[in-house]
Amino acid sequence: MRIVMMGPPGAGKGTQASRVARERGLLQISTGEILRDAVKAQTGVGVAAKEKMARGELLDDATMIEIVRERVMEATAEGFVLDGFPRTVAQARALDEMMAERTLGSLIIVDVVVPEQELIRRLAGRRICSNCGATFDPFGSSDRCTKCGGELVQRADDEQLVVAERLKVHERQVRPVLEFYRERQTFRVVNGAQAPERVASELDAMIDDAAAVGAAVSKQVEAGGSGSEGRTQP
Ligand code: AMP
């Protein structure tokens, strides 16, 4: 199963991606987390990424594609859940090429949709653990990480002005990516403004349904058909 979780910052796609990965034994590839780790470890990528991330700007496609390629190539047959990638059409095309290269069948794409006011409210309250990086929902009761006891802090890019910039960048950059995917038979939209358990159950049903559709398309393609009038590719 190869899943792409789309959605603006604060939509809960990271939380859902971790859950789906854990429950289905998939590799989670979260580009934001990979970059935050790199910043912390002060690797070459991390040093280059730090300021752009703090300003809410996107990193260059070549760097991001390389980071994801490495992980997609090492993912097991169970598959992966991508979260935070692709953010541009160039990244989406590169992902299609990786899928074709490894003959991995159809991507399942889920867009988590939440109204902007709710996103701003959530992001202003979101905290991460300064030690292990775990993300915590807004307005929780503890100021300590429930996983490792580390101190909870605001993410540098969750400050209000940066949030506005990130939502703007997201809207501008990701809209074409959604258009790139929208016509595929394995594209789904989930209402992320609902209670997390409700989002989870709808999401799970959508993933199972899209996986069945994807498998049928792959079979058709193998049998020499067009794979649903050529709408779902690769
Ligand atoms: P996220 O945790 O997904 O919101 O990502 C945090 C930051 O990392 C973003 O605001 C970007 O600066 C950078 N980033 C993460 N993923 C990508 C990507 N696919 N392309 C470009 N920049 C990215």
Side-chain angles (χ1 to χ4, degrees):
M1 221 172 235
R2 280 97 204 158
I3 304 168
V4 173
M5 298 285 296
M6 304 283 296
K13 66 180 186 305
T15 307
Q16 294 295 343
S18 313
R19 184 191 58 80
V20 168
R22 194 176 56 245
E23 290 177 4
R24 297 179 185 248
L26 308 174
L27 173 69
Q28 184 183 2
I29 309 174
S30 161
T31 48
E33 248 167 58
I34 292 166
L35 291 171
R36 279 187 290 280
D37 285 348
V39 169
K40 216 163 146 193
Q42 299 188 331
T43 64
V45 168
V47 171
K50 189 174 177 179
E51 294 208 343
K52 281 204 162 172
M53 288 178 73
R55 286 197 299 266
E57 293 168 11
L58 293 187
L59 271 66
D60 67 281
D61 285 335
T63 303
M64 297 313 303
I65 290 166
E66 199 40 49
I67 287 175
V68 169
R69 161 176 284 278
E70 231 173 70
R71 283 149 179 97
V72 164
M73 292 303 160
E74 72 194 16
T76 61
E78 273 70 42
F80 55 77
V81 184
L82 263 169
D83 142 35
F85 183 100
R87 287 247 225 314
T88 65
V89 172
Q91 292 178 11
R93 288 192 200 284
L95 179 60
D96 277 353
E97 280 164 24
M98 293 173 215
M99 299 288 289
E101 209 175 300
R102 281 200 60 188
T103 52
L104 292 178
S106 302
L107 281 172
I108 294 168
I109 305 112
V110 185
D111 186 23
V112 186
V113 177
V114 176
E116 185 173 312
Q117 278 316 307
E118 172 65 9
L119 291 175
I120 290 173
R121 195 185 75 88
R122 289 184 185 182
L123 289 168
R126 180 163 77 173
R127 296 290 179 269
I128 60 166
C129 173
S130 57
N131 183 46
C132 73
T135 297
F136 289 87
D137 285 346
F139 320 117
S141 53
S142 169
D143 59 354
R144 290 275 156 192
C145 175
T146 53
K147 292 185 178 141
C148 75
E151 188 191 354
L152 298 187
V153 294
Q154 187 170 46
R155 249 173 67 171
D157 57 356
D158 278 348
E159 282 163 27
Q160 211 160 7
L161 276 178
V162 183
V163 163
E165 172 64 15
R166 281 169 70 210
L167 291 179
K168 219 165 57 201
V169 169
H170 177 84
E171 170 64 18
R172 200 171 55 227
Q173 295 268 358
V174 173
R175 184 173 288 274
V177 182
L178 288 174
E179 295 316 314
F180 181 79
Y181 285 136
R182 199 174 294 282
E183 292 304 314
R184 295 192 185 184
Q185 289 190 5
T186 50
F187 178 84
R188 300 285 182 281
V189 178
V190 68
N191 174 5
Q194 310 174 91
E197 316 77 62
R198 185 74 197 267
V199 178
S201 66
E202 288 191 5
L203 185 62
D204 286 343
M206 282 175 187
I207 289 173
D208 290 335
D209 174 60
V213 170
V217 169
S218 298
K219 247 192 211 147
Q220 249 178 300
V221 171
E222 269 166 34
S226 66
S228 73
E229 306 97 51
R231 286 205 306 145
T232 299
Q233 64 84 36

